[in-house]
């Protein structure tokens, strides 16, 4: 294949990943709003899941929904072509479940881990990932290290506890290595929020 075509495809992949993960990172604002408007935010997350799902079903049946369908088309991975794109559903669901199940600080830590850890790991892997890790379906050392640093930093700044941050970051890095696809959006905030809850309740 022509090197120029390959380069354009690579740039397009990076742009899509940047766009997709910028949505992830925006999730970091949710704990702020949860702390002030808990039930309205919970209701808004439920509504977002429903409206997006309706929009996706309409798109798949040939009826484009203004703005939502366009954003989905831009952000969709190749594996999602002509399929229901579950990423936004699992993203909102993971945030929603963490907020409902865990106390304010543990939920925030789980959500920050999803926003920054998962969000930045994928970008780092695309940009700097030269060394792929065996048995991880293409995950890279750069992505995993970025995931650990991002989660550790967010957890420590949120809790002020180095041991908690280390436990959460290590667990998050391990989860990020698993071939969970879009379902890591649910697993990361639930599991890391739960670990944080258990850790903080034992202090």
């Amino acid at each position: 294949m022509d090197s120029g075509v390959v380069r354009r495809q690579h740039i397009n992949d990076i742009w899509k990943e940047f766009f997709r993960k910028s949505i992830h990172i925006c999730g970091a604002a949710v704990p702020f709003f949860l702390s002030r408007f808990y039930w309205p935010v919970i209701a808004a997350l439920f509504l977002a899941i429903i409206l997006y799902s309706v929009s996706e079903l309409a798109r798949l049946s040939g009826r484009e929904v203004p703005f939502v369908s366009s954003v989905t088309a831009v952000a969709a991975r190749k594996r999602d072509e002509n399929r229901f794109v579950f990423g936004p559903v699992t993203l909102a669901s993971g945030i929603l479940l963490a907020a409902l199940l865990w106390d304010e600080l543990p939920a925030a830590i789980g959500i920050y881990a999803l926003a920054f850890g998962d969000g930045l790991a994928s970008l780092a892997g695309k940009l700097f990932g030269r060394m792929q890790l065996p048995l991880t379906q293409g995950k890279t050392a750069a992505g995993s290290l970025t995931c650990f640093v991002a989660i550790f930093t967010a957890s420590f700044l949120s809790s002020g506890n180095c041991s908690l941050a280390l436990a959460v970051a290590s667990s998050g890095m391990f989860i990020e290595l698993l071939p969970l696809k879009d379902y890591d959006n649910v697993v990361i905030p639930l599991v890391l929020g739960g670990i944080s809850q258990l850790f903080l309740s034992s202090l």
Side-chain angles (χ1 to χ4, degrees):
M1 186 180 294
D2 182 79
S3 60
V5 173
V6 173
R7 180 174 175 79
R8 284 194 297 272
Q9 287 180 342
H10 181 63
I11 292 172
N12 186 56
D13 286 344
I14 291 174
W15 159 245
K16 277 181 173 284
E17 199 66 25
F18 178 81
F19 184 81
R20 184 164 45 248
K21 295 308 179 181
S22 67
I23 298 172
H24 263 66
I25 293 170
C26 286
V30 174
F32 171 82
F33 293 105
L34 281 169
S35 67
R36 287 157 176 78
F37 315 104
Y38 181 81
W39 286 113
V41 173
I42 294 296
L45 288 168
F46 267 115
L47 185 61
I49 292 169
I50 293 169
L51 291 178
Y52 173 80
S53 298
V54 171
S55 169
E56 267 298 88
L57 292 173
R59 183 181 67 85
L60 291 174
S61 65
R63 296 188 297 274
E64 296 289 316
V65 176
F67 182 71
V68 178
S69 295
S70 300
V71 170
T72 302
V74 171
R77 292 183 174 96
K78 196 166 188 62
R79 72 179 188 222
D80 293 324
E81 290 180 359
N82 302 314
R83 296 173 54 190
F84 190 107
V85 180
F86 276 103
V89 173
T90 57
L91 178 67
S93 297
I95 293 172
L96 177 63
L97 290 171
L100 288 171
L101 290 174
W102 311 130
D103 294 338
E104 183 178 324
L105 179 55
I109 291 172
I111 294 168
Y112 291 146
L114 174 62
F116 297 118
D118 185 50
L120 295 177
S122 183
L123 279 175
K126 286 282 186 184
L127 291 170
F128 311 113
R130 299 291 181 269
M131 182 188 301
Q132 292 192 352
L133 301 173
L135 307 177
T136 62
Q137 298 186 6
K139 300 295 178 73
T140 66
S144 294
L145 180 60
T146 300
C147 179
F148 178 88
V149 172
I151 295 177
F152 180 89
T153 302
S155 301
F156 180 73
L157 291 176
S158 301
S159 67
N161 190 304
C162 187
S163 297
L164 168 60
L166 184 60
V168 171
S170 300
S171 301
M173 183 177 66
F174 173 76
I175 293 170
E176 197 272 333
L177 288 173
L178 299 175
L180 297 173
K181 297 184 178 180
D182 289 326
Y183 295 102
D184 62 354
N185 292 339
V186 177
V187 174
I188 287 173
L190 275 183
V191 172
L192 301 188
I195 290 172
S196 302
Q197 179 108 346
L198 288 171
F199 192 101
L200 291 169
S201 65
S202 68
L203 295 178

